[in-house]
Amino acid sequence: MSDVRPGGADPAARPPAGTKARPRRLPVNRLRDRIRRLAAEGQPPEAALQRFFERHDFPVVEGLRCTFAVRVGDADAVTLRHRVVGLADPLPLRRLAGTDLWYVVVEIPPDSRVEYQFEARRGDSYERFNDPGNPRQARGPFGSSSVLHGAGYVTPSWAVHDPDARPGELVETWIRSTAQRRDNRVTLYLPARFRRSARYPLLVVHDGGDYLEYAAMKTVLDNLIHRLDVAEAVVAFTHPGDRLVEYPNSSAHARWIATELVGRLEEDLPLAPGPGARALMGSSFGAVASLSTAVRHPGTFGSLLLQSGSFVFTDIGADHGEDRAFDPVVRFVNRYRARPTRVADRLFVSCGVYEDLIVQNRSMLPVLSGTGMEVEYVESRDGHNWESWRDRLQDGLGFVLPGEAMFVYE
Amino acid sequence: MERRAVPGAAGDAVRVTLLGPQRTVAGARAAVAELIPDGPVAAVNAGWRERESDTGELDDVLGGRLQNLELHRRWLEVLEADPVLAAAEQRLAERLDALRTAYRVRLRAALEAVRAVHRQVRDPEVAVDAGADALAALRALDTWHLARGRRLRAEHREEVGLDARPAVAEHRAAVAGLLGGSAGLVVAGGHVGVLLHVLELFALRAVVAGPVITWSAGAMALAERVVLFHDHPPRGERPPEVHADGLGLYAGVVPFPHARRRLRLDEPERMALLARRLAPSRAVLLPDGARLDLEHGVLPRSARRLDPSGAVTAGAAG
């Protein structure tokens, strides 16, 4: 994979600071001129259009300028759909005169990663679809999206399969929750070379199935443990029932995670004792569940990893502008912000700058660190999606489960 | 050859050869053939923990004369046979973890104080005075960490009566016997903390006569002080940590294997601080292919080291 390198963005992909490269004409503009010439000669545009799509990867990224283009027949309008705060959504595409090609040029900052789809309108009918010219797709619980890699963005090498990394094992189990009055599915990750005689830290993951399915978390764990960036650990991937009910500050959920699950795992597995060896994580509502569980059971988990937390709050009144599912979240976050408490030793917080939650996450930082907790905060040029959360796992897992690189010299 | 680092220091009686990382094993093979030409070669491979017994390549380097001391296996056996010691070791590990946390928290502040003085104080005389004092505070913190760790380990040994525990004594005797019947010792790399722990548990310092050939984590564990370092972590800064006393088989030298991969050698200010922090010991780089014969505790002139300006030098005393 040519665009895979060890983590982060590639500064070499950008023009050197202080230089001003002469802007090249965009391929779509060259295409427009070509089609005009063909039209003047009475030639059809088809061959030129085909060459345009054969010659480029889509979207066409040239420095900051990204050209989205798609061929859609008999549409009244085509738009770009995305969830990037700061860009119009929907973003209208223009039709290239005399063709069925629709395009829009957008300035995308370096290192960005953007998930998008096209939407075609025909009368009152709307159809959304992925970019047929772009093989990069991200999957999520609600389907797939096309993915734009902005200049300098590369998929971290530790997020793709490494044949040198010895694989850990996933073990399915069911654990009784008295608090929730049901048996809960838990997928356990046991690191390669797992031994009963050793003692392992524990990481509990909210929405564990999604992290495994959409954020490649087993691959990430295998690789980061192999690289000594992350400690050999037992990881409990939990699977929620109704997460919109359980995650925003449910006492039964907190009891399940902090008491029943941890207690049972400590009975069954060789886990290192004490909060310093326990971490809890989640994204979005899962981050709220992690914080609220820690608030209800302070000192149980030494570290929290909170990705794109849905920490919606109000400064006055109850109108938060989100749907009703956020009501208990707002009550919880308002209460916590009014009386913040130290619930763990160390927190890793991350958020994408293209998310509408970026303001809330930034606002939480002084609240959290003001309690004396050590807070590490990372932003990325990405949105509210699983691959964004995947890309922050090296930073986050390395923070809550630091590896042994300082100790190993081969 | 140049002057010895610490005249009369421990280790003078043992011939020690330090090698760079053995990604390609030609250096180790040549050193073993030259320095331990005949007889069994005792080997410590415990830094690789459960892979300790995976010795095919090592045995090949030793010319088929490997005598694996199996210190990691012996350690696990001792813990299995002696639950009281196992529990005490667990308590010791937790206390050392807490101590390291306290050290690292203070270390960040102490390092920042040194840098802040350098950055912000304009008056040269004040800057020199304040810089020296900030460096002294940093070195005092390193000394505090070493001393507290030493005390915790000593208390642990005393509380459990380590030397008298049958399981420990039995393995110590077996190890001493194997070492006594060997023509020399090889200590390989891996996890330096584990290595140091089992070397001390089985009291190797008392029975090593040399010659000793060692590399990477092995070289670190046999030094006077073990300094952990990794300037290229995935994120943030990991300042070098003065971790613990080593076995003290050689004096006046702190080895830095994988230096090019693990140290920011292109940042002289950072390297200068490291060199001055460790003085009078010298920060010696052990890159791939390096070989330093420390006969009678003397460092060869060819040794590449950090000088007080942060540059990598070789050939001069100091």
Side-chain angles (χ1 to χ4, degrees), chain B residues 42 64 73 76 84 88 96 100 111 127 134 166 190 195 215 225-226 237 291 304 313 318:
Chain B
R73 175 192 59 83
L76 296 184
V84 173
L96 288 172
R100 184 172 177 230
L111 278 167
L195 201 48
W215 57 84
R225 272 183 292 172
V226 176
E237 184 183 3
R291 173 173 166 176
R304 297 172 69 78
T313 58

PDB file of all heavy atoms in Angstrom, chain B residues 42 64 73 76 84 88 96 100 111 127 134 166 190 195 215 225-226 237 291 304 313 318:
ATOM      1  N   ALA B  42      28.096 -19.603  28.861  1.00  0.00           N
ATOM      2  CA  ALA B  42      26.829 -19.354  29.580  1.00  0.00           C
ATOM      3  C   ALA B  42      26.119 -18.167  28.935  1.00  0.00           C
ATOM      4  O   ALA B  42      26.769 -17.216  28.503  1.00  0.00           O
ATOM      5  CB  ALA B  42      27.120 -19.057  31.048  1.00  0.00           C
ATOM      6  N   GLY B  64      27.459 -23.352  18.830  1.00  0.00           N
ATOM      7  CA  GLY B  64      26.884 -24.582  19.379  1.00  0.00           C
ATOM      8  C   GLY B  64      27.318 -24.860  20.811  1.00  0.00           C
ATOM      9  O   GLY B  64      27.148 -25.974  21.317  1.00  0.00           O
ATOM     10  N   ARG B  73      12.923 -18.691  33.215  1.00  0.00           N
ATOM     11  CA  ARG B  73      12.209 -19.918  33.631  1.00  0.00           C
ATOM     12  C   ARG B  73      12.395 -20.146  35.126  1.00  0.00           C
ATOM     13  O   ARG B  73      11.441 -20.474  35.844  1.00  0.00           O
ATOM     14  CB  ARG B  73      12.726 -21.126  32.856  1.00  0.00           C
ATOM     15  CG  ARG B  73      12.101 -22.448  33.342  1.00  0.00           C
ATOM     16  CD  ARG B  73      12.776 -23.691  32.807  1.00  0.00           C
ATOM     17  NE  ARG B  73      14.173 -23.839  33.113  1.00  0.00           N
ATOM     18  CZ  ARG B  73      14.671 -24.338  34.242  1.00  0.00           C
ATOM     19  NH1 ARG B  73      13.865 -24.672  35.236  1.00  0.00           N
ATOM     20  NH2 ARG B  73      15.979 -24.468  34.404  1.00  0.00           N
ATOM     21  N   LEU B  76      10.133 -17.842  37.151  1.00  0.00           N
ATOM     22  CA  LEU B  76       8.735 -18.306  37.201  1.00  0.00           C
ATOM     23  C   LEU B  76       8.598 -19.497  38.134  1.00  0.00           C
ATOM     24  O   LEU B  76       7.611 -19.613  38.875  1.00  0.00           O
ATOM     25  CB  LEU B  76       8.248 -18.650  35.794  1.00  0.00           C
ATOM     26  CG  LEU B  76       8.184 -17.498  34.782  1.00  0.00           C
ATOM     27  CD1 LEU B  76       7.582 -17.965  33.463  1.00  0.00           C
ATOM     28  CD2 LEU B  76       7.381 -16.320  35.330  1.00  0.00           C
ATOM     29  N   VAL B  84       4.761 -16.778  48.971  1.00  0.00           N
ATOM     30  CA  VAL B  84       5.042 -15.629  49.848  1.00  0.00           C
ATOM     31  C   VAL B  84       5.970 -14.650  49.130  1.00  0.00           C
ATOM     32  O   VAL B  84       5.749 -13.431  49.126  1.00  0.00           O
ATOM     33  CB  VAL B  84       5.681 -16.117  51.175  1.00  0.00           C
ATOM     34  CG1 VAL B  84       6.127 -14.925  52.016  1.00  0.00           C
ATOM     35  CG2 VAL B  84       4.695 -16.987  51.945  1.00  0.00           C
ATOM     36  N   ALA B  88       5.230 -10.854  47.780  1.00  0.00           N
ATOM     37  CA  ALA B  88       6.132  -9.751  48.162  1.00  0.00           C
ATOM     38  C   ALA B  88       6.663  -9.055  46.913  1.00  0.00           C
ATOM     39  O   ALA B  88       6.798  -7.825  46.890  1.00  0.00           O
ATOM     40  CB  ALA B  88       7.284 -10.288  48.999  1.00  0.00           C
ATOM     41  N   LEU B  96       7.347   0.231  43.463  1.00  0.00           N
ATOM     42  CA  LEU B  96       8.287   0.802  42.487  1.00  0.00           C
ATOM     43  C   LEU B  96       7.540   1.557  41.387  1.00  0.00           C
ATOM     44  O   LEU B  96       8.013   2.593  40.906  1.00  0.00           O
ATOM     45  CB  LEU B  96       9.164  -0.298  41.874  1.00  0.00           C
ATOM     46  CG  LEU B  96      10.219  -0.884  42.821  1.00  0.00           C
ATOM     47  CD1 LEU B  96      10.891  -2.098  42.186  1.00  0.00           C
ATOM     48  CD2 LEU B  96      11.273   0.160  43.189  1.00  0.00           C
ATOM     49  N   ARG B 100       8.049   5.394  40.524  1.00  0.00           N
ATOM     50  CA  ARG B 100       8.377   5.857  39.166  1.00  0.00           C
ATOM     51  C   ARG B 100       7.391   6.939  38.717  1.00  0.00           C
ATOM     52  O   ARG B 100       7.774   7.905  38.063  1.00  0.00           O
ATOM     53  CB  ARG B 100       8.357   4.658  38.206  1.00  0.00           C
ATOM     54  CG  ARG B 100       8.786   5.037  36.804  1.00  0.00           C
ATOM     55  CD  ARG B 100       8.962   3.828  35.903  1.00  0.00           C
ATOM     56  NE  ARG B 100       9.310   4.267  34.554  1.00  0.00           N
ATOM     57  CZ  ARG B 100       8.698   3.842  33.449  1.00  0.00           C
ATOM     58  NH1 ARG B 100       7.713   2.972  33.524  1.00  0.00           N
ATOM     59  NH2 ARG B 100       9.070   4.294  32.271  1.00  0.00           N
ATOM     60  N   LEU B 111      12.971  19.151  34.322  1.00  0.00           N
ATOM     61  CA  LEU B 111      13.520  19.384  32.984  1.00  0.00           C
ATOM     62  C   LEU B 111      13.023  20.707  32.420  1.00  0.00           C
ATOM     63  O   LEU B 111      13.779  21.460  31.796  1.00  0.00           O
ATOM     64  CB  LEU B 111      13.104  18.241  32.047  1.00  0.00           C
ATOM     65  CG  LEU B 111      13.935  16.975  32.124  1.00  0.00           C
ATOM     66  CD1 LEU B 111      13.229  15.837  31.408  1.00  0.00           C
ATOM     67  CD2 LEU B 111      15.316  17.196  31.513  1.00  0.00           C
ATOM     68  N   ALA B 127      21.951  33.598  34.229  1.00  0.00           N
ATOM     69  CA  ALA B 127      21.531  32.400  33.496  1.00  0.00           C
ATOM     70  C   ALA B 127      22.447  31.217  33.815  1.00  0.00           C
ATOM     71  O   ALA B 127      21.975  30.089  34.034  1.00  0.00           O
ATOM     72  CB  ALA B 127      21.551  32.682  31.991  1.00  0.00           C
ATOM     73  N   ALA B 134      19.512  24.669  38.463  1.00  0.00           N
ATOM     74  CA  ALA B 134      18.393  23.860  37.953  1.00  0.00           C
ATOM     75  C   ALA B 134      18.883  22.464  37.562  1.00  0.00           C
ATOM     76  O   ALA B 134      18.201  21.460  37.799  1.00  0.00           O
ATOM     77  CB  ALA B 134      17.752  24.555  36.756  1.00  0.00           C
ATOM     78  N   PRO B 166      14.634 -21.152  50.309  1.00  0.00           N
ATOM     79  CA  PRO B 166      15.167 -22.377  49.691  1.00  0.00           C
ATOM     80  C   PRO B 166      15.074 -22.377  48.169  1.00  0.00           C
ATOM     81  O   PRO B 166      16.034 -22.758  47.500  1.00  0.00           O
ATOM     82  CB  PRO B 166      14.294 -23.484  50.292  1.00  0.00           C
ATOM     83  CG  PRO B 166      13.756 -22.917  51.558  1.00  0.00           C
ATOM     84  CD  PRO B 166      13.639 -21.442  51.349  1.00  0.00           C
ATOM     85  N   GLY B 190      16.651  -7.304  25.253  1.00  0.00           N
ATOM     86  CA  GLY B 190      15.259  -7.565  25.605  1.00  0.00           C
ATOM     87  C   GLY B 190      14.768  -6.536  26.607  1.00  0.00           C
ATOM     88  O   GLY B 190      15.108  -5.355  26.520  1.00  0.00           O
ATOM     89  N   LEU B 195      15.479  -8.240  32.957  1.00  0.00           N
ATOM     90  CA  LEU B 195      16.858  -8.709  32.970  1.00  0.00           C
ATOM     91  C   LEU B 195      17.537  -8.344  34.293  1.00  0.00           C
ATOM     92  O   LEU B 195      18.146  -9.193  34.965  1.00  0.00           O
ATOM     93  CB  LEU B 195      17.586  -8.041  31.795  1.00  0.00           C
ATOM     94  CG  LEU B 195      18.847  -8.667  31.248  1.00  0.00           C
ATOM     95  CD1 LEU B 195      18.693 -10.155  31.015  1.00  0.00           C
ATOM     96  CD2 LEU B 195      19.215  -7.969  29.932  1.00  0.00           C
ATOM     97  N   TRP B 215      25.128  -7.043  24.877  1.00  0.00           N
ATOM     98  CA  TRP B 215      24.619  -6.028  23.954  1.00  0.00           C
ATOM     99  C   TRP B 215      23.240  -5.532  24.387  1.00  0.00           C
ATOM    100  O   TRP B 215      22.548  -6.194  25.165  1.00  0.00           O
ATOM    101  CB  TRP B 215      24.575  -6.553  22.519  1.00  0.00           C
ATOM    102  CG  TRP B 215      23.772  -7.809  22.279  1.00  0.00           C
ATOM    103  CD1 TRP B 215      22.445  -7.904  22.073  1.00  0.00           C
ATOM    104  CD2 TRP B 215      24.294  -9.130  22.194  1.00  0.00           C
ATOM    105  NE1 TRP B 215      22.085  -9.199  21.861  1.00  0.00           N
ATOM    106  CE2 TRP B 215      23.210  -9.988  21.915  1.00  0.00           C
ATOM    107  CE3 TRP B 215      25.583  -9.679  22.322  1.00  0.00           C
ATOM    108  CZ2 TRP B 215      23.352 -11.369  21.777  1.00  0.00           C
ATOM    109  CZ3 TRP B 215      25.718 -11.060  22.177  1.00  0.00           C
ATOM    110  CH2 TRP B 215      24.622 -11.879  21.896  1.00  0.00           C
ATOM    111  N   ARG B 225      24.565   2.273  36.267  1.00  0.00           N
ATOM    112  CA  ARG B 225      23.216   2.847  36.316  1.00  0.00           C
ATOM    113  C   ARG B 225      22.468   2.475  35.056  1.00  0.00           C
ATOM    114  O   ARG B 225      23.047   2.475  33.970  1.00  0.00           O
ATOM    115  CB  ARG B 225      23.284   4.380  36.382  1.00  0.00           C
ATOM    116  CG  ARG B 225      23.375   4.941  37.763  1.00  0.00           C
ATOM    117  CD  ARG B 225      23.350   6.455  37.700  1.00  0.00           C
ATOM    118  NE  ARG B 225      24.550   6.996  37.088  1.00  0.00           N
ATOM    119  CZ  ARG B 225      24.721   8.284  36.773  1.00  0.00           C
ATOM    120  NH1 ARG B 225      23.755   9.146  37.009  1.00  0.00           N
ATOM    121  NH2 ARG B 225      25.836   8.703  36.233  1.00  0.00           N
ATOM    122  N   VAL B 226      21.189   2.185  35.216  1.00  0.00           N
ATOM    123  CA  VAL B 226      20.352   1.900  34.055  1.00  0.00           C
ATOM    124  C   VAL B 226      19.553   3.161  33.737  1.00  0.00           C
ATOM    125  O   VAL B 226      18.795   3.659  34.578  1.00  0.00           O
ATOM    126  CB  VAL B 226      19.399   0.720  34.334  1.00  0.00           C
ATOM    127  CG1 VAL B 226      18.459   0.509  33.147  1.00  0.00           C
ATOM    128  CG2 VAL B 226      20.204  -0.539  34.617  1.00  0.00           C
ATOM    129  N   GLU B 237       6.499  13.661  24.831  1.00  0.00           N
ATOM    130  CA  GLU B 237       7.920  13.579  25.143  1.00  0.00           C
ATOM    131  C   GLU B 237       8.147  12.540  26.228  1.00  0.00           C
ATOM    132  O   GLU B 237       7.380  12.451  27.180  1.00  0.00           O
ATOM    133  CB  GLU B 237       8.418  14.941  25.627  1.00  0.00           C
ATOM    134  CG  GLU B 237       9.911  14.949  25.865  1.00  0.00           C
ATOM    135  CD  GLU B 237      10.404  16.274  26.415  1.00  0.00           C
ATOM    136  OE1 GLU B 237       9.579  17.158  26.650  1.00  0.00           O
ATOM    137  OE2 GLU B 237      11.618  16.383  26.615  1.00  0.00           O
ATOM    138  N   ARG B 291      31.663  -2.075  18.882  1.00  0.00           N
ATOM    139  CA  ARG B 291      32.285  -3.016  19.815  1.00  0.00           C
ATOM    140  C   ARG B 291      33.240  -2.238  20.714  1.00  0.00           C
ATOM    141  O   ARG B 291      34.129  -1.554  20.233  1.00  0.00           O
ATOM    142  CB  ARG B 291      33.050  -4.097  19.061  1.00  0.00           C
ATOM    143  CG  ARG B 291      33.859  -4.993  20.014  1.00  0.00           C
ATOM    144  CD  ARG B 291      34.474  -6.162  19.326  1.00  0.00           C
ATOM    145  NE  ARG B 291      35.491  -6.788  20.173  1.00  0.00           N
ATOM    146  CZ  ARG B 291      36.150  -7.887  19.868  1.00  0.00           C
ATOM    147  NH1 ARG B 291      35.909  -8.516  18.736  1.00  0.00           N
ATOM    148  NH2 ARG B 291      37.060  -8.375  20.686  1.00  0.00           N
ATOM    149  N   ARG B 304      32.110   6.166  20.797  1.00  0.00           N
ATOM    150  CA  ARG B 304      31.362   7.379  20.441  1.00  0.00           C
ATOM    151  C   ARG B 304      30.511   7.780  21.641  1.00  0.00           C
ATOM    152  O   ARG B 304      29.792   6.969  22.191  1.00  0.00           O
ATOM    153  CB  ARG B 304      30.480   7.117  19.218  1.00  0.00           C
ATOM    154  CG  ARG B 304      31.304   6.778  17.987  1.00  0.00           C
ATOM    155  CD  ARG B 304      30.427   6.329  16.848  1.00  0.00           C
ATOM    156  NE  ARG B 304      29.619   7.417  16.312  1.00  0.00           N
ATOM    157  CZ  ARG B 304      30.090   8.364  15.495  1.00  0.00           C
ATOM    158  NH1 ARG B 304      31.344   8.349  15.128  1.00  0.00           N
ATOM    159  NH2 ARG B 304      29.294   9.302  15.034  1.00  0.00           N
ATOM    160  N   THR B 313      31.035  12.631  19.854  1.00  0.00           N
ATOM    161  CA  THR B 313      32.474  12.683  19.599  1.00  0.00           C
ATOM    162  C   THR B 313      33.082  11.322  19.859  1.00  0.00           C
ATOM    163  O   THR B 313      32.486  10.455  20.498  1.00  0.00           O
ATOM    164  CB  THR B 313      33.167  13.700  20.521  1.00  0.00           C
ATOM    165  OG1 THR B 313      32.905  13.319  21.873  1.00  0.00           O
ATOM    166  CG2 THR B 313      32.660  15.103  20.275  1.00  0.00           C
ATOM    167  N   GLY B 318      37.249  12.065  28.164  1.00  0.00           N
ATOM    168  CA  GLY B 318      36.231  12.916  28.701  1.00  0.00           C
ATOM    169  C   GLY B 318      34.948  12.322  28.903  1.00  0.00           C
ATOM    170  O   GLY B 318      34.045  12.673  29.475  1.00  0.00           O
TER     171      GLY B 318
END
